[in-house]
């Protein structure tokens, strides 16, 4: 290679480095870790001298320490910066119009102590009227300074991510315009109105992914006008108009989703009403809080193979087996493949455990696909508490699978379940059986480390504490 480059250097023509297409050069520049390193590539050849200036990835990291330098840069060289970004140094032959280069990424990351007026001056460079529209636009603040966004030109933008902005002011009235190319929208720590959000969705026919996290000002959300939407994430949406207001936080109450192509939906939100019309939905994740009223769910259309996971944010003084059984008998009856996932196992007092007589099982508990428990945090201290936990749990529902993360608590639960199952094979087994084992046909354990399925025996019990996860396979009569 050295010999070839030496021979190229002796000739009068261009070397091979100068013959590399712009797209490949930009890919090379993307691998460099700083703008300074990209600028240094200008020494490679005459053609590379100015090519780094048309680099399509622009990123600003703004803080109080570099504010004065950045302000001087924008004010004194705004016209030059515009030429740098748009590559207007090269004019079309026979035309007075400059060739506008594509800006792939335009990212701004701002510390809270940075003065926001300078951000406006920067955004003017890609606002309406100058022909510039980035494919990706990212603006992020560390917290929620309430920055009123000066809306850029969205005509070519496919990816928008905003954090810490206020979209309720007059400067954002045109936010929903020119969104015909938008495919991905992420809003985090943002204030906006229901009307604006619904206009954004209505004017984004290509939107494929919507991510809303810590949004303020939304009471009812309708996602009904996004024909290409495939992924929806909602979390901690507040009815209050602005963060930091004197009113206590109140979560959004109603959600209606109607999308023919939606495949995955995650809701970290305690809702009062949920309407779903998603015939191609294959994964549904819903978080619920037992301290809230039961959610009203209306499933109009749902894929037959949709796996629905309900994440129960449980607390010791809020969760009861009665709540679980009532929820499974009312709220979640329309979910075909249901998994319940708990933050932790809950401890139960004797007063909380239902009276488990045979009459209680005249109407069998609801059956679900799986129960999943995280670390139990030493809430179950002995075999008696493990018995109370399991007995009340299987009074509330009968799962096909039940998994518990590794810990002393899970070992106690597993030991109790195994010993109760082994009683069935003893001569007096049915006389000693608890109410739930009377309905149990078979039980096996899946080794959380190897995936091996093991038969229940006395030899298996000592090995349970060493497994990273204990997973029971339950067959009910």
């Amino acid at each position: 290679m050295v010999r070839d480059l030496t021979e190229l250097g002796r000739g009068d023509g261009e070397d091979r480095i100068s013959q590399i297409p712009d797209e490949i050069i930009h890919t090379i520049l993307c691998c460099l870790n700083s703008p300074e390193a990209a600028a240094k590539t200008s020494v490679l050849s005459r053609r590379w001298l100015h090519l780094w200036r048309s680099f399509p990835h622009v990123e600003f990291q703004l803080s109080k320490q570099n504010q004065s330098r950045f302000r001087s840069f924008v004010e004194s060289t705004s016209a030059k910066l515009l030429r740098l970004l748009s590559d207007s140094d090269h004019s079309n032959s026979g035309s007075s119009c400059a060739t506008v280069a594509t800006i792939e990424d335009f990212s701004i990351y701002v510390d809270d102590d940075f003065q926001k007026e300078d951000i406006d001056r920067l955004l003017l460079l890609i606002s309406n009227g100058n022909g510039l529209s980035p494919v990706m636009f990212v603006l992020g603040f560390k917290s929620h300074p309430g920055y009123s966004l000066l809306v850029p030109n969205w005509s070519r933008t496919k990816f928008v991510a905003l954090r810490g902005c206020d979209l309720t002011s007059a400067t954002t009235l045109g936010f929903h315009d020119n969104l015909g190319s938008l495919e991905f929208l992420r809003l985090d720590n943002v204030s906006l109105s229901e009307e604006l959000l619904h206009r954004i969705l209505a004017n984004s026919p290509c939107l494929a992914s919507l991510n809303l996290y810590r949004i303020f000002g939304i009471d009812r959300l309708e996602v009904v006008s996004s024909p290409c939407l495939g992924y929806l994430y909602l979390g901690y949406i507040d009815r209050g108009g602005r963060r930091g207001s004197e009113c206590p936080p109140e979560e959004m109450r109603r959600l209606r989703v109607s999308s023919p192509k939606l495949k995955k939906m995650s809701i970290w939100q305690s809702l009062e009403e949920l309407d779903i019309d998603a015939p191609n939905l294959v994964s549904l994740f819903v978080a619920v809080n037992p301290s809230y009223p039961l959610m009203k769910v209306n499933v109009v259309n749902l894929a037959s193979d949709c796996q629905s996971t309900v994440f129960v944010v449980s607390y010791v003084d809020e969760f009861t087996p009665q709540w679980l059984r009532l929820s499974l008998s009312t709220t979640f009856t329309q979910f075909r493949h249901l998994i319940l996932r708990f933050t932790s196992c809950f401890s139960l007092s004797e007063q909380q455990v239902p009276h488990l007589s045979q009459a209680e099982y005249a109407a069998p508990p609801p059956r679900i696909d799986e129960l999943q428990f995280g670390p139990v945090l030493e809430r179950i201290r002995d075999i008696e508490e493990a018995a109370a936990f399991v007995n009340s749990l299987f009074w509330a529902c009968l799962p096909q699978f039940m998994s518990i993360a590794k810990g002393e608590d899970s070992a106690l639960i597993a030991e109790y379940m195994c010993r109760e199952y082994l009683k069935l094979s003893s001569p007096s087994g049915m006389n000693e059986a608890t109410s739930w084992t009377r309905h149990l046909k078979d039980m096996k354990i899946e080794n959380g480390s190897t995936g091996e399925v093991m038969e229940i025996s006395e030899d298996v019990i000592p090995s349970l504490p060493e497994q990273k996860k204990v997973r029971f396979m339950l067959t009910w009569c």
Side-chain angles (χ1 to χ4, degrees):
M1 185 179 67
V2 173
R3 184 178 66 252
D4 291 342
L5 291 175
T6 303
E7 292 176 356
L8 284 170
R10 292 171 183 167
D12 295 331
E14 281 191 317
D15 56 43
R16 294 181 182 177
I17 292 180
S18 295
Q19 299 172 11
I20 298 177
D22 291 358
E23 293 79 5
I24 296 180
I25 296 176
H26 287 152
T27 301
I28 295 172
L29 296 179
C30 285
C31 299
L32 303 177
N33 58 8
S34 69
E36 292 79 7
K40 289 178 181 179
T41 61
S42 60
V43 303
L44 295 176
S45 75
R46 286 170 296 179
R47 183 166 168 271
W48 284 54
L49 184 61
H50 299 289
L51 192 59
W52 68 274
R53 295 184 176 183
S54 63
F55 186 53
H57 302 271
V58 182
E59 179 178 317
F60 296 91
Q61 296 189 9
L62 307 179
S63 64
K64 187 176 181 179
Q65 287 72 23
N66 63 20
Q67 177 139 16
S68 59
R69 185 176 57 173
F70 174 78
R71 182 181 303 160
S72 300
F73 170 72
V74 173
E75 291 178 350
S76 63
T77 63
S78 58
K80 188 181 298 184
L81 179 61
L82 182 59
R83 288 197 303 270
L84 182 149
L85 294 177
S86 64
D87 199 19
S88 58
D89 299 297
H90 307 285
S91 300
N92 291 331
S93 59
S95 173
S96 59
C97 297
T99 301
V100 178
T102 298
I103 302 178
E104 296 293 337
D105 304 340
F106 194 94
S107 303
I108 310 171
Y109 301 97
V110 191
D111 285 349
D112 295 339
D113 55 2
F114 193 87
Q115 292 188 15
K116 312 308 178 289
E117 294 79 7
D118 291 328
I119 301 175
D120 292 340
R121 297 186 182 98
L122 178 61
L123 292 182
L124 282 172
L125 297 172
I126 55 172
S127 62
N128 293 324
N130 57 24
L132 293 176
S133 178
V135 176
M136 173 188 287
F137 180 85
V138 179
L139 174 59
F141 293 86
K142 283 188 174 180
S143 62
H144 188 278
Y147 172 69
S148 298
L149 178 68
L150 181 64
V151 179
N153 178 9
W154 301 121
S155 59
R156 294 179 58 257
T157 306
K158 296 183 179 181
F159 181 108
V160 173
L162 302 177
R163 186 180 190 276
C165 295
D166 183 0
L167 303 182
T168 61
S169 64
T171 60
T172 59
L173 292 179
F175 186 92
H176 60 278
D177 295 333
N178 300 318
L179 295 176
S181 300
L182 186 64
E183 297 178 3
F184 180 98
L185 177 62
R186 175 181 172 84
L187 301 179
D188 178 0
N189 227 345
V190 168
S191 297
L192 77 166
S193 65
E194 289 183 17
E195 180 182 4
L196 175 58
L197 182 55
H198 291 150
R199 285 187 178 183
I200 292 172
L201 298 178
N203 286 274
S204 306
C206 299
L207 187 65
S209 177
L210 177 62
N211 191 314
L212 303 177
Y213 180 69
R214 292 186 296 182
I215 305 299
F216 307 94
I218 307 297
D219 178 47
R220 178 186 179 91
L221 177 59
E222 295 191 359
V223 184
V224 297
S225 55
S226 300
C228 297
L229 188 66
Y231 174 76
L232 176 63
Y233 177 94
L234 304 173
Y236 305 106
I237 299 179
D238 197 321
R239 286 182 279 170
R242 295 176 184 271
R243 184 183 180 183
S245 62
E246 295 181 358
C247 298
E250 295 185 23
E251 296 188 69
M252 178 182 69
R253 294 180 293 187
R254 303 176 185 87
L255 173 64
R256 179 189 171 205
V257 179
S258 178
S259 180
K261 294 186 177 181
L262 188 65
K263 292 185 176 296
K264 185 176 182 180
M265 180 165 64
S266 298
I267 306 172
W268 282 89
Q269 190 83 31
S270 293
L271 298 168
E272 293 182 7
E273 297 179 17
L274 174 62
D275 292 338
I276 304 176
D277 183 1
N280 289 302
L281 190 69
V282 296
S283 176
L284 172 63
F285 187 98
V286 182
V288 297
N289 191 328
S291 65
Y292 284 68
L294 290 177
M295 178 171 55
K296 179 181 178 181
V297 177
N298 179 31
V299 176
V300 178
N301 198 354
L302 201 63
S304 58
D305 59 344
C306 179
Q307 178 176 289
S308 304
T309 301
V310 177
F311 187 89
V312 181
V313 184
S314 58
Y315 300 96
V316 176
D317 58 343
E318 294 173 350
F319 186 90
T320 65
Q322 290 86 346
W323 176 89
L324 178 58
R325 181 162 180 165
L326 181 61
S327 298
L328 293 174
S329 302
T330 56
T331 301
F332 306 122
T333 55
Q334 300 181 68
F335 297 150
R336 297 182 181 90
H337 305 287
L338 181 63
I339 297 174
L340 282 183
R341 185 181 300 170
F342 293 80
T343 52
S344 64
C345 292
F346 41 88
S347 62
L348 298 169
S349 64
E350 292 183 0
Q351 290 75 20
Q352 289 177 296
V353 179
H355 179 63
L356 300 176
S357 65
Q358 190 65 25
E360 299 265 6
Y361 280 83
R367 301 198 179 195
I368 65 173
D369 289 299
E370 186 165 356
L371 285 172
Q372 298 177 351
F373 291 92
V376 291
L377 304 178
E378 299 183 355
R379 292 181 177 176
I380 296 177
R381 294 162 292 185
D382 52 40
I383 200 71
E384 288 76 17
E385 290 186 357
F389 171 77
V390 174
N391 293 342
S392 60
L393 186 66
F394 290 153
W395 171 85
C397 65
L398 300 179
Q400 184 178 356
F401 298 94
M402 175 177 165
S403 60
I404 310 174
K406 180 180 179 179
E408 293 183 5
D409 310 70
S410 59
L412 287 170
I413 294 172
E415 179 183 353
Y416 169 73
M417 290 180 61
C418 291
R419 295 198 182 284
E420 288 299 305
Y421 176 73
L422 291 174
K423 286 180 181 179
L424 297 178
S425 59
S426 65
S428 58
M430 291 307 297
N431 294 328
E432 298 179 3
T434 58
S435 295
W436 63 271
T437 54
R438 295 175 185 273
H439 295 265
L440 187 63
K441 184 177 180 181
D442 190 22
M443 183 171 71
K444 292 181 174 64
I445 292 181
E446 181 181 294
N447 190 310
S449 303
T450 64
E452 176 189 2
V453 177
M454 302 179 294
E455 299 287 342
I456 305 296
S457 68
E458 288 287 349
D459 297 334
V460 170
I461 296 176
S463 66
L464 296 177
E466 304 302 323
Q467 298 185 27
K468 65 180 181 180
K469 183 176 71 172
V470 179
R471 189 168 189 255
F472 291 92
M473 307 171 66
L474 304 161
T475 304
W476 304 95
C477 299

